Amino acid sequence: MEFPVTDQVADFGPPTGSGSAALARDFTRRTLTGWSYRGDHDDVVLVVSELVANVDRHAVGPAVLRLTGGPDRVLVEVSDGSPAVPWMRPHGTDGGWGIPLIDRLTLRWGVTPHGRGKVVWCELG
């Protein structure tokens, strides 16, 4: 997934555990504002929150959040050290809501192997 070189990139390595999703949300809000992103900031923040929380729940190692974009679109990438691919599972009281939510809010999303882990990415605009 490549955006033109003219797009801006912002990386953030939130700590794992309690509070990591909140820090990632704050980073995302500040980044989108700085880029004058014209899309729905709340949708991007929610997607970032879900992806970072999924790393805390299901993956190995720290997450790295990368935002690439500008005023019209944003690519969200969250990498981690686990090769396990997220999938849509039946949702209920124990979870399962995140990936269907991401599927609904984004233009497209996917998973790319990266080293021993993966990058879960999605595009919003």
Side-chain angles (χ1 to χ4, degrees):
M1 178 65 46
E2 297 275 338
F3 274 27
V5 177
T6 57
D7 285 336
Q8 301 176 66
V9 177
D11 290 335
F12 178 67
T16 57
S18 178
S20 61
L23 292 171
R25 287 190 299 268
D26 182 56
F27 168 78
T28 300
R29 283 187 195 98
R30 286 185 284 114
T31 300
L32 296 175
T33 299
W35 290 350
S36 300
Y37 178 65
R38 293 188 285 256
D40 190 330
H41 289 211
D42 290 339
D43 286 354
V44 180
V45 169
L46 182 55
V47 165
V48 164
S49 186
E50 285 295 327
L51 291 177
V52 171
N54 279 351
V55 170
D56 282 343
R57 269 187 229 113
H58 306 292
V60 176
V64 175
L65 167 63
R66 170 172 276 186
L67 303 175
T68 306
D72 296 319
R73 62 184 179 165
V74 64
L75 174 68
V76 175
E77 297 173 291
V78 176
S79 62
D80 65 63
S82 171
V85 176
W87 54 283
M88 286 198 216
R89 64 184 176 97
H91 49 271
T93 57
D94 66 337
W97 299 93
I99 296 300
L101 180 69
I102 289 165
D103 188 58
R104 183 175 180 139
L105 293 177
T106 65
L107 299 171
R108 56 189 174 149
W109 71 277
V111 181
T112 304
H114 179 70
R116 293 183 175 189
K118 66 182 170 301
V119 176
V120 180
W121 59 267
C122 55
E123 184 179 352
L124 296 96

